[in-house]
Amino acid sequence: MSEQEPNQFSRKERYDGVRSNRKKKGRAKRWILSILLIIILGVAGWGTYLYAQYKSSIDDIQKTAKFNKTRNVSNLIARGKPFSMLLMGTDVGDLGRDRKGLTDSMMLVTINPKTQKTTMVSIPRDIMTVIPGYSETFPQKMNAAFPYGGAGAAMEAVQNYLNVPVDSYALVNMEGLETLVDKVNGIAVKAPFDFSYSQDTAHAYGPDLYRFHKGSTKWEHSDDNGATWSASKTKLTGKAALAFSRMRYDDPQGDYGRQQRQRLVLEGLVKKAVSAQTLLDSSFIKSVSKNAQTDLSFNDIVKVAQKYRAASKELVSDHLQGTGITYDASYQMVKKTEKQRVTDLLRKQLDLKERETGLQFAGDVPSKDTAIAQRALSQIGETLEY
């Protein structure tokens, strides 16, 4: 299936402060990236009857993206074809303000009912990027596309960067996270290594301290900097989930390790939601509607419920591996071979022919900034393509 280059957007108001570093507040929302997958894949297990009850809540979260897509997602879903969704997490309190807040989490997901597989690829938020429609602001980071141009600009940036069609999006914030995790009665997730994390200090010491164990679902909590610990539990509560997904500084893989733990939680939430009795409670979906937004319509979701449930049987996690570079701030650059690997993976899951990966910076670098682009590429041993 051939694809066209999306049209660029007209310029909108610049968002002040998109390069600001929001450290603690934005960490937890990766968890809620699972919410839309729960609606689409998990609730489907209860049948389309439930959707009639939840229609008003689902209609509330529907918001069209200003993006000239290369494919019609409603048509794909109606025919039971694989489709993709860009999951984004932001820390805004009101999703109506759709150009406020950096998307500190970005994940491109493909859902294939034929292979019965859902593939989730984390995209580093700090990739040096040309934002579609805002090239004069180069260099930017990938997570700045949303505050500049909304969901459409973020979708176009990812599509241009990987040459993989982005058919739909889901946007979520961190409000209500603890309630949602607790409503499914917690999640059992094995820690990849031993670590502790305090919600107050963002390190392995202080009050409100959580302790996790390698290869185990057990965890404990301490209110006195580890002097005493609670009895071990095997299911993460909402607050424990935040601690599990937030820790970064003591992870040997840094932000990539944190992404891995976030994907582990995402998998646990989706699997649990398939049979979670709490999904029969309309208050659960209402709480989702307050903290989520998507361009999928109610009819799209009903058809997904009918045709795509099998895609939740196998959840595959991956990530786009970048290399840290420096310019006027820290950025990530991804080698072309790694981009091509991810492009091939995602296109295969969409039943599309192989194509060369996308643009080096998700758009054309302004001529005045080619030296910046060359310098960035030289740090990973590559040169600017024209």
Side-chain angles (χ1 to χ4, degrees):
M1 183 179 296
S2 61
E3 295 158 23
Q4 303 173 352
E5 279 293 317
N7 295 328
Q8 290 209 339
F9 300 100
S10 60
R11 294 183 181 178
K12 303 178 179 66
E13 282 186 62
R14 288 194 178 187
Y15 170 70
D16 294 331
V18 296
R19 299 183 187 179
S20 64
N21 183 19
R22 301 178 181 182
K23 294 182 179 179
K24 294 182 67 177
K25 187 177 179 183
R27 303 277 159 81
K29 84 280 291 182
R30 280 89 167 178
W31 274 72
I32 314 182
L33 294 182
S34 63
I35 295 172
L36 265 295
L37 281 181
I38 288 174
I39 294 176
I40 293 169
L41 301 176
V43 183
W46 296 104
T48 56
Y49 168 72
L50 291 180
Y51 282 99
Q53 300 182 56
Y54 299 152
K55 185 178 187 302
S56 61
S57 292
I58 294 174
D59 285 344
D60 287 344
I61 69 176
Q62 205 276 336
K63 188 175 180 66
T64 302
K66 296 179 180 179
F67 172 47
N68 293 321
K69 299 179 182 180
T70 62
R71 312 195 307 173
N72 185 311
V73 68
S74 294
N75 181 267
L76 292 170
I77 291 173
R79 294 186 293 133
K81 298 294 184 179
F83 71 97
S84 66
M85 172 179 283
L86 179 63
L87 300 180
M88 298 177 286
T90 186
D91 59 3
V92 299
D94 180 0
L95 289 179
R97 299 174 297 173
D98 64 354
R99 285 188 295 279
K100 301 291 185 181
L102 300 170
T103 51
D104 285 341
S105 302
M106 304 183 77
M107 185 183 298
L108 189 55
V109 178
T110 58
I111 304 172
N112 190 320
K114 181 179 178 180
T115 62
Q116 300 185 356
K117 183 183 296 185
T118 296
T119 303
M120 303 171 287
V121 177
S122 296
I123 300 172
R125 60 185 181 178
D126 293 337
I127 291 175
M128 186 178 283
T129 308
V130 172
I131 298 176
Y134 301 89
S135 60
E136 76 280 1
T137 70
F138 180 83
Q140 286 288 349
K141 296 182 178 182
M142 186 71 77
N143 68 342
F146 177 74
Y148 267 101
M155 295 169 75
E156 185 171 356
V158 172
Q159 179 170 280
N160 289 352
Y161 190 70
L162 292 173
N163 194 18
V164 174
V166 178
D167 301 316
S168 59
Y169 84 92
L171 173 71
V172 291
N173 68 17
M174 65 183 294
E175 295 294 329
L177 170 64
E178 294 179 17
T179 300
L180 291 169
V181 173
D182 291 336
K183 272 187 174 289
V184 296
N185 197 30
I187 304 167
V189 179
K190 291 183 179 179
F193 55 91
D194 295 323
F195 70 94
S196 297
Y197 182 84
S198 168
Q199 302 278 37
D200 288 11
T201 67
H203 289 282
Y205 57 84
D208 198 16
L209 187 66
Y210 290 82
R211 182 172 66 184
F212 305 94
H213 309 277
K214 181 178 180 180
S216 174
T217 61
K218 292 183 178 181
W219 60 275
E220 298 85 32
H221 178 260
S222 173
D223 284 321
D224 53 14
N225 194 27
T228 58
W229 293 94
S230 68
S232 295
K233 297 181 181 180
T234 57
K235 289 184 179 180
L236 297 175
T237 62
K239 290 183 178 180
L242 290 177
F244 187 90
S245 63
R246 278 178 169 174
M247 194 278 288
R248 176 184 183 184
Y249 298 114
D250 294 330
D251 193 310
Q253 299 184 70
D255 199 47
Y256 289 101
R258 183 171 59 182
Q259 290 174 17
Q260 178 193 23
R261 283 177 278 114
Q262 292 157 5
R263 291 194 301 270
L264 288 173
V265 171
L266 173 58
E267 292 174 16
L269 278 169
V270 174
K271 290 177 181 178
K272 186 71 175 291
V274 170
S275 59
Q277 294 293 334
T278 52
L279 290 173
L280 292 169
D281 181 358
S282 61
S283 67
F284 181 87
I285 300 301
K286 288 180 180 178
S287 63
V288 170
S289 69
K290 294 178 181 179
N291 298 287
Q293 181 176 297
T294 181
D295 59 350
L296 292 181
S297 68
F298 173 79
N299 288 335
D300 290 336
I301 294 176
V302 169
K303 290 173 183 176
V304 169
Q306 296 169 334
K307 300 173 183 289
Y308 289 79
R309 184 185 177 192
S312 65
K313 291 184 177 180
E314 183 179 358
L315 303 175
V316 178
S317 297
D318 206 329
H319 70 278
L320 189 64
Q321 179 66 52
T323 301
I325 67 159
T326 56
Y327 171 60
D328 60 347
S330 60
Y331 292 88
Q332 290 277 311
M333 292 291 295
V334 181
K335 284 182 172 291
K336 187 173 182 177
T337 53
E338 170 66 357
K339 286 181 61 182
Q340 189 67 58
R341 180 189 72 82
V342 170
T343 295
D344 292 343
L345 169 68
L346 293 170
R347 291 186 69 90
K348 182 178 180 179
Q349 292 306 312
L350 292 172
D351 292 343
L352 297 175
K353 294 180 180 179
E354 292 185 356
R355 291 285 187 272
E356 185 176 1
T357 192
L359 301 173
Q360 287 174 309
F361 295 93
D364 294 328
V365 177
S367 57
K368 65 180 179 62
D369 295 321
T370 55
I372 297 173
Q374 290 279 17
R375 177 180 170 184
L377 287 164
S378 68
Q379 295 184 57
I380 61 169
E382 296 185 356
T383 58
L384 184 63
E385 297 175 355
Y386 294 94

